Amino acid sequence: MSTTPWQTAEIPGPKRGLPLHRCETLISLLNNSKNPLLIIGHKAAEIDLGNRKFIDYLIDLARGRTITVVATAHTIKELTNRGFQNASSMPLMDIANRLRDTEWRGIDGKGAYDVVLFAGFPYYMAWLVFSGLKHMSSQLKTISLDGQYQPNASWSIQNVSPLELEKFFVNLLEKIGEM
Amino acid sequence: MKKRNIELDIKEMKTGFGLMKDIKLSVGGISEKTADQQLGPTPFPSSTDLREWDMKLLERYKPFYMPFCDLCCLCTFGKCDLSDGKRGACGLNMEAQQSRIVLIACCIGAATHTAHGRHLVEDLIKKFGRKSALDVGGTNVEILAPIIQLVTGIKPRHLGDIEDILDYVEGEITQLLSSTHTGQEGSNIDFESKVLHAGTMDHVALEIADIAQISTFGFPKSDPEAALVDTGLGVVDSSKPVIMVVGHNVPPAIGIMDYMTEKDLSGQLEVCGLCCTAHDITRYDPKAKIVGPISWQLRFIRSGIPDVIVVDEQCIRADAFEEAKKIKAPVIASSSKNCLGLKDRTKDPTDEIVADLIQGKALGVLILDPDKVGEVAVRTSLGIAPKRKKFKNLPELDELILEAKRCTKCSECRRSCPNDMLIPEAIDAAAGGDLSLLNDLYDVCVGCGRCEEACPNDLDVHSFIVKAAEQKIKNEKFKTRSGRGAIQDVEIRKVGGPIVLGEIPGVIAHVGCANYPKGGEEVAEMIEEFAKRRYIILTSGCAAMSAGMHKNEDGKTVYESFPGDFDAGCVLNVGSCVSNSHIAGAAIKIASIFAKRNLNANYEEIADYILNRVGAVGISWGAMSQKAASIASGFWRLGIPVIVGPHGSKYRRMLLGRKDRDSDWEVYDARTGERDYVGPSPEHLFYAAETKEEAMVMMAKLCMRPNDTSRGRAMKLNHYIDLHKRYYGRMPDDIHLYVRRLSDVPITMKDEIVRILDQKEWKEKNIPDPTILPRMIRKKER
Ligand code: SF4
Ligand code: SF4
Ligand code: SF4
């Protein structure tokens, strides 16, 4: 495990996010959130975690905690194919641009998000989006779940192997199930 | 340089005359009759003359910044930490710093094209004289310099005329760059306006460079049937001496072809190019070959095939000389902008230079005379080829396997790879004798070599990939249609109406570099899809080559499958980076030729026309360079949106519309002066897509324009919905924003869409004569 940026050159500067070592930290961040959002990128449907895809764990997480889901790029189709109907579709640039706007009332118009989870993105693209939000929307807590440390997120799972990421999610979902 | 009194004359033009017919106008060295059109309000605009227009665009398409760094380190007052809203020691905040960086990038890009244009024009004037006529398509192209005419009001006729316009562009770029100094511009929005101005200057420079070279070198003149040129690593006949040319400034490569012709050596040598020099040398002589885009440099050099490497300017690997030494191929540098530390031998006797290169006394030389480069390159390649015996820098198979066993699986290579490729797994498989994973990586690899730089065990990872793909490389045999240059006026007359009414669903330009997230094949796929849908597809630069480097299921490239006209369902390569001017030029000419809008120095009105009526979108799937940034910004200012691939997010600033804010999408009805909601069309001005699928859906959407007729809108909606359903598996959620009347609804989807419209409480809207310029309103509000 490491908290150096996954892509070696992606060093941001003085303001770096905290490592998310344990799934309990994530649960507590979600417990303290009034209105969390999960944004799922296209790679979530490509990455294998054991004999499931990453996206399957993310769906379980969204269901377990009733988190609003936004799918970017063509990911919505993957969610629908898996029977998950409760998601909106929006390009990553659009959702990031909405999130930096403190006036924005959310997908459903019911209020701003306070904690935003990201998963399934090209590392460098998410790196920039986290940077945009870090600088332009500092009230927002951003969390990277990709298992590739994102220094610009408020919290990020560190650089872990697919096996370790799988364990993290199995553990997380177990804990959520017990709640 | 000669001093020219442009400024004085501009003032005279602005204040002195309304209608200028057959009046002799003197702008420094230019002596020219203006066209019989009125001179518009902004001849030779300064960076603030179009500021009001810029502000209108930036109000709708607000910048979203994604900083690359928390810091600013541009002066010794710093470094300054700009995170959390902090200001630097000079008072600058993060937004301004980011826009400043964008402006610096665009100034670099615009300066590069301008310097290229200057270099080219000076060479050409020396060769052909200042009075040499400009001609890019004979009587088929009356408006031969639409960008220059739009920006300056001048209609250049001779080479010497464009030299004067270069003075203006150079002056403006200097002004723009100076505003990035510490303690100058402090507002991010003003920086952004200057970014747009840098883009306009860039486009003028592009046009200068390309019309100059088309006119004098006999390139295809607006020819839809320009030659199909051999393309790919596999087309190079390595049994002959091979000269590799790379860069963007074609005269040295032309020197090579001319010398070969003069000495009757054609057919005895291979001349093949990478990047835009490849485009332009095949425009000069279609017997030359295209190896591939910028990302093919390392693999081609290491293959050992080139016997002599001639580099000119732009997008050349800085380590080209180091790599060339490893294959014992001499390098000839030919540009003052890229001297590579080599001795200037321009004035030395040719025999001596050739002997030194063949004998290895000199490993490279700098020669700043294109004709001399030609002779030295040809004679050296003939002399050195038998000695080199195609000495390569790639491992043999057994060496590769042995080397791969030294891998410690540290993942440093993967963590350096721009595409995060699974290199350690592929190396591990190779150590066991299975090269298939390495072979797969070849298709996605952008040839940057960062993996090798990162490897603590000095494994030549990129070379391993190239070796593993050896067979595939031999089969890289394709056809690219040579750059045809300008769009004919008669073509504009034919399609202008259908485009503006929306009946040709859109004009899509694939431009730019080769920094692709998943290989160049995606470019060909996107082009094929939209050409089949009868969009007009234009290509240029590295994207044009990548488009030609894939075959469809019939075994044909897009250039073999679709005609090269500017018409629905056609795919035309305009040429090199500087030929992008013809893409902007086509949009401008639609406004001028089809709609008969005044072209001369009338920037705002024409851009307003394009923004509201011409369904054109640029896509730069592998955008990488600063030049790509300045080219894009020239398109933004004209109201043409640009989509970039995911790596394009690293330009660190998007220009994004908000479709959820109705008031952003109001325009004036030029007939009545009333304000009308026209929907988010086009929704964004600069936008990075995560995947090819997302880009395709967005392309279709960004082609919609307020002026579309119902028939046109229905057709555009049909493509948008169809692609959305295919890739997203559902209806788009914003259909109601694009339906103005029920007649806009595609007939085959009527029931489904009407249901959605009912749910959204949709109401019928007016279809205005759209403009965002109050001065275009014909009947003023009382
Ligand atoms: S230019 Fe301004 S922000 Fe940048 S280092 Fe200098 S003082 Fe700091
Ligand atoms: S050369 Fe290819 S494999 Fe190596 S880092 Fe660059 S893109 Fe990745
Ligand atoms: S950097 Fe070198 S040693 Fe490390 S995994 Fe890559 S190839 Fe192996």
Side-chain angles (χ1 to χ4, degrees):
Chain A
M1 296 225 223
S2 161
T3 50
T4 51
W6 170 251
Q7 287 200 313
T8 321
E10 302 287 11
I11 295 168
K15 193 183 176 190
R16 302 175 59 139
L18 296 164
L20 193 64
H21 295 287
R22 301 165 57 243
C23 65
E24 287 81 356
T25 315
L26 179 58
I27 292 172
S28 123
L29 284 162
L30 288 171
N31 284 344
N32 289 324
S33 162
K34 286 199 190 77
N35 197 7
L37 176 70
L38 169 62
I39 306 178
I40 306 181
H42 81 283
K43 283 177 82 88
E46 294 173 0
I47 295 168
D48 291 310
L49 291 188
N51 53 13
R52 300 178 82 200
K53 293 283 184 195
F54 189 17
I55 197 168
D56 297 316
Y57 287 98
L58 298 169
I59 290 172
D60 290 350
L61 169 64
R63 283 198 173 119
R65 291 295 309 227
T66 44
I67 306 175
T68 308
V69 173
V70 166
T72 66
H74 54 288
T75 318
I76 191 78
K77 192 172 183 181
E78 297 288 344
L79 292 174
T80 316
N81 290 347
R82 286 167 166 80
F84 187 81
Q85 303 288 352
N86 257 340
S88 305
S89 177
M90 207 187 260
L92 178 59
M93 287 302 125
D94 267 328
I95 183 67
N97 189 35
R98 300 286 195 281
L99 287 170
R100 64 105 176 227
D101 173 8
T102 45
E103 311 274 291
W104 189 50
R105 304 292 297 153
I107 300 274
D108 50 12
K110 289 188 183 145
Y113 304 104
D114 52 359
V115 169
V116 188
L117 314 169
F118 287 80
F121 292 99
Y123 181 80
Y124 55 89
M125 214 180 174
W127 194 99
L128 284 152
V129 166
F130 283 126
S131 170
L133 296 176
K134 174 173 97 172
H135 288 287
M136 308 300 156
S137 190
S138 53
Q139 81 293 344
L140 205 67
K141 276 197 180 65
T142 56
I143 302 174
S144 170
L145 300 178
D146 274 334
Q148 298 180 325
Y149 179 67
Q150 286 284 3
N152 288 319
S154 321
W155 297 81
S156 172
I157 300 181
Q158 309 101 293
N159 298 328
V160 294
S161 68
L163 192 67
E164 287 166 311
L165 190 63
E166 185 189 352
K167 272 192 208 150
F168 182 98
F169 272 91
V170 169
N171 215 345
L172 171 75
L173 293 169
E174 261 176 32
K175 295 246 156 49
I176 287 174
E178 287 161 11
M179 288 166 74
Chain B
M1 201 202 303
K2 272 188 285 172
K3 276 212 167 119
R4 296 176 179 92
N5 56 339
I6 288 174
E7 192 60 30
L8 181 70
D9 283 331
I10 293 169
K11 289 196 181 92
E12 283 179 9
M13 284 189 254
K14 269 183 175 170
T15 54
F17 312 98
L19 195 74
M20 298 188 77
K21 276 195 172 184
D22 290 326
I23 289 171
K24 202 132 179 158
L25 162 75
S26 172
V27 179
I30 302 176
S31 187
E32 174 57 60
K33 281 182 176 180
T34 55
D36 45 342
Q37 280 181 325
Q38 193 177 339
L39 189 70
T42 52
F44 291 91
S46 74
S47 68
T48 47
D49 285 347
L50 294 168
R51 186 167 174 259
E52 222 176 290
W53 169 252
D54 299 340
M55 295 303 168
K56 284 186 200 304
L57 291 178
L58 293 163
E59 184 54 33
R60 186 195 272 182
Y61 304 104
K62 292 201 168 60
F64 173 48
Y65 299 107
M66 300 178 287
F68 241 17
C69 180
D70 298 350
L71 306 176
C72 174
C73 54
L74 275 184
C75 83
T76 66
F77 231 163
K79 301 175 180 176
C80 297
D81 173 11
L82 304 181
S83 63
D84 286 326
K86 292 191 274 290
R87 288 181 184 266
C90 64
L92 199 76
N93 67 10
M94 185 54 104
E95 282 93 342
Q97 167 61 1
Q98 291 309 305
S99 51
R100 177 163 72 149
I101 294 285
V102 177
L103 176 56
I104 290 171
C106 289
C107 283
I108 294 173
T112 305
H113 288 135
T114 307
H116 175 197
R118 172 67 75 184
H119 192 162
L120 201 53
V121 168
E122 275 176 2
D123 274 351
L124 295 174
I125 284 178
K126 245 187 255 163
K127 236 182 180 155
F128 302 96
R130 298 189 92 243
K131 288 275 172 231
S132 177
L134 296 173
D135 171 12
V136 300
T139 50
N140 287 329
V141 185
E142 273 288 305
I143 300 180
L144 61 86
I147 301 173
I148 293 172
Q149 232 180 301
L150 176 66
V151 175
T152 66
I154 296 292
K155 193 171 182 180
R157 288 288 184 204
H158 305 103
L159 264 183
D161 301 344
I162 49 179
E163 208 189 13
D164 293 277
I165 295 161
L166 275 166
D167 288 355
Y168 156 68
V169 173
E170 285 164 348
E172 286 305 302
I173 295 172
T174 307
Q175 295 285 338
L176 291 170
L177 189 56
S178 74
S179 72
T180 66
H181 190 275
T182 302
Q184 296 260 47
E185 190 59 76
S187 145
N188 71 306
I189 290 298
D190 266 308
F191 272 126
E192 295 293 352
S193 163
K194 291 178 168 69
V195 164
L196 298 176
H197 194 57
T200 300
M201 292 305 106
D202 183 78
H203 279 210
V204 172
L206 297 176
E207 192 172 72
I208 286 174
D210 213 35
I211 64 174
Q213 59 180 3
I214 292 172
S215 302
T216 48
F217 285 142
F219 287 1
K221 290 190 167 147
S222 195
D223 179 6
E225 288 173 15
L228 286 165
V229 175
D230 283 336
T231 304
L233 257 165
V235 301
V236 183
D237 181 352
S238 56
S239 67
K240 295 178 186 170
V242 173
I243 303 174
M244 161 181 164
V245 292
V246 55
H248 287 72
N249 186 40
V250 76
I254 286 181
I256 294 169
M257 301 310 281
D258 286 351
Y259 185 77
M260 280 166 56
T261 310
E262 190 191 314
K263 298 290 167 190
D264 211 11
L265 292 168
S266 301
Q268 291 184 41
L269 287 103
E270 287 275 88
V271 178
C272 52
L274 292 99
C275 224
C276 284
T277 297
H279 273 307
D280 287 342
I281 193 59
T282 61
R283 291 165 88 187
Y284 185 70
D285 184 344
K287 288 194 293 301
K289 293 172 178 177
I290 297 174
V291 173
I294 175 173
S295 43
W296 259 244
Q297 286 180 59
L298 211 47
R299 62 188 67 158
F300 188 50
I301 297 177
R302 289 184 183 180
S303 73
I305 293 171
D307 292 297
V308 171
I309 298 172
V310 177
V311 300
D312 55 85
E313 60 172 83
Q314 305 166 43
C315 301
I316 297 158
R317 287 191 64 94
D319 57 359
F321 184 39
E322 300 308 313
E323 289 290 329
K325 280 194 251 179
K326 292 182 197 156
I327 61 158
K328 303 183 180 172
V331 167
I332 302 172
S334 61
S335 164
S336 57
K337 289 150 218 144
N338 184 22
C339 301
L340 293 171
L342 295 169
K343 189 161 183 231
D344 186 353
R345 304 285 300 267
T346 311
K347 296 206 168 83
D348 289 359
T350 308
D351 290 350
E352 256 174 45
I353 308 173
V354 172
D356 284 356
L357 289 171
I358 294 175
Q359 288 160 19
K361 282 191 197 153
L363 302 176
V365 291
L366 173 66
I367 304 176
L368 299 171
D369 171 347
D371 294 332
K372 192 161 190 163
V373 169
E375 180 176 352
V376 172
V378 173
R379 289 177 53 196
T380 305
S381 71
L382 288 169
I384 207 167
K387 295 173 76 174
R388 279 191 65 250
K389 299 197 176 68
K390 304 292 174 192
F391 186 81
K392 64 179 185 227
N393 182 22
L394 291 175
E396 294 303 330
L397 218 56
D398 48 347
E399 282 171 330
L400 188 164
I401 293 169
L402 244 147
E403 279 280 282
K405 291 187 200 297
R406 295 202 294 116
C407 169
T408 50
K409 302 191 187 64
C410 66
S411 284
E412 289 301 320
C413 49
R414 180 179 167 193
R415 292 182 56 208
S416 296
C417 174
N419 285 332
D420 197 13
M421 299 196 322
L422 301 179
I423 303 168
E425 287 79 349
I427 302 270
D428 192 34
D434 171 10
L435 298 186
S436 63
L437 297 184
L438 277 177
N439 179 20
D440 290 347
L441 296 185
Y442 180 81
D443 301 327
V444 186
C445 171
V446 294
C448 67
R450 273 179 9 194
C451 45
E452 296 183 356
E453 296 298 316
C455 178
N457 295 317
D458 290 332
L459 296 187
D460 296 333
V461 182
H462 180 58
S463 290
F464 294 179
I465 293 171
V466 175
K467 178 68 188 172
E470 206 170 23
Q471 200 47 46
K472 200 150 56 185
I473 290 171
K474 281 195 183 124
N475 293 330
E476 268 183 15
K477 292 181 180 168
F478 308 99
K479 294 280 186 195
T480 301
R481 193 174 297 285
S482 182
R484 59 164 274 177
I487 310 306
Q488 299 174 6
D489 298 0
V490 56
E491 289 174 304
I492 298 286
R493 263 179 216 113
K494 184 171 163 211
V495 298
I499 291 172
V500 168
L501 301 174
E503 287 154 10
I504 286 178
V507 181
I508 294 179
H510 283 264
V511 305
C513 336
N515 190 18
Y516 304 122
K518 286 185 177 170
E521 192 165 6
E522 292 193 330
V523 176
E525 286 168 13
M526 290 189 254
I527 289 177
E528 172 124 8
E529 178 67 41
F530 281 85
K532 281 184 181 159
R533 291 174 181 270
R534 301 194 53 74
Y535 286 70
I536 300 175
I537 313 292
L538 301 109
T539 65
S540 69
C542 283
M545 297 177 192
S546 299
M549 290 176 76
H550 294 278
K551 291 179 181 166
N552 63 17
E553 53 221 15
D554 303 328
K556 287 182 175 172
T557 67
V558 290
Y559 298 111
E560 294 161 293
S561 307
F562 303 99
D565 305 79
F566 187 75
D567 204 348
C570 296
V571 177
L572 53 138
N573 172 18
V574 287
S576 54
C577 282
V578 290
S579 313
N580 280 311
S581 52
H582 308 301
I583 300 175
I588 295 167
K589 290 210 284 189
I590 290 172
S592 158
I593 296 173
F594 166 72
K596 301 203 168 36
R597 299 287 179 112
N598 178 22
L599 178 57
N600 297 318
N602 195 20
Y603 194 95
E604 281 187 339
E605 183 182 338
I606 297 284
D608 178 64
Y609 185 92
I610 296 171
L611 173 72
N612 285 301
R613 290 162 209 267
V614 179
V617 179
I619 169 147
S620 191
W621 198 236
M624 167 281 292
S625 68
Q626 297 89 350
K627 293 187 299 157
S630 56
I631 293 171
S633 59
F635 281 115
W636 304 330
R637 206 190 213 181
L638 277 174
I640 299 176
V642 176
I643 301 172
V644 282
H647 284 295
S649 55
K650 295 177 208 165
Y651 283 115
R652 68 195 85 172
R653 190 276 273 116
M654 300 283 116
L655 295 172
L656 302 171
R658 285 281 299 266
K659 65 181 175 189
D660 55 330
R661 287 189 182 150
D662 289 358
S663 58
D664 287 356
W665 308 103
E666 284 179 5
V667 303
Y668 296 104
D669 186 337
R671 289 179 291 252
T672 62
E674 302 280 325
R675 286 180 74 84
D676 281 305
Y677 172 81
V678 287
S681 50
E683 187 181 359
H684 302 301
L685 217 44
F686 188 47
Y687 165 91
E690 188 184 329
T691 64
K692 170 195 75 182
E693 291 81 359
E694 179 185 332
M696 286 165 88
V697 171
M698 189 54 85
M699 275 186 249
K701 179 151 88 161
L702 291 183
C703 284
M704 285 189 260
R705 290 294 182 280
N707 190 62
D708 296 339
T709 58
S710 280
R711 190 160 152 243
R713 178 58 63 89
M715 192 185 298
K716 291 183 182 189
L717 274 173
N718 191 32
H719 291 296
Y720 170 47
I721 295 170
D722 187 53
L723 285 162
H724 199 283
K725 281 188 169 174
R726 183 194 298 171
Y727 293 122
Y728 291 58
R730 58 166 71 180
M731 258 307 201
D733 60 9
D734 54 7
I735 286 295
H736 58 294
L737 305 180
Y738 294 101
V739 177
R740 300 151 309 169
R741 306 220 171 128
L742 279 178
S743 47
D744 289 353
V745 175
I747 208 96
T748 50
M749 305 176 185
K750 193 142 200 166
D751 294 347
E752 197 181 1
I753 294 179
V754 168
R755 237 186 347 264
I756 294 172
L757 296 179
D758 286 346
Q759 280 164 14
K760 300 278 183 186
E761 297 174 7
W762 170 87
K763 285 193 184 64
E764 194 167 89
K765 299 170 207 63
N766 180 35
I767 301 179
D769 178 359
T771 176
I772 59 171
L773 294 173
R775 70 177 166 88
M776 296 307 296
I777 299 166
R778 294 190 287 276
K779 183 180 149 199
K780 294 278 178 208
E781 280 169 297
R782 261 164 257 140

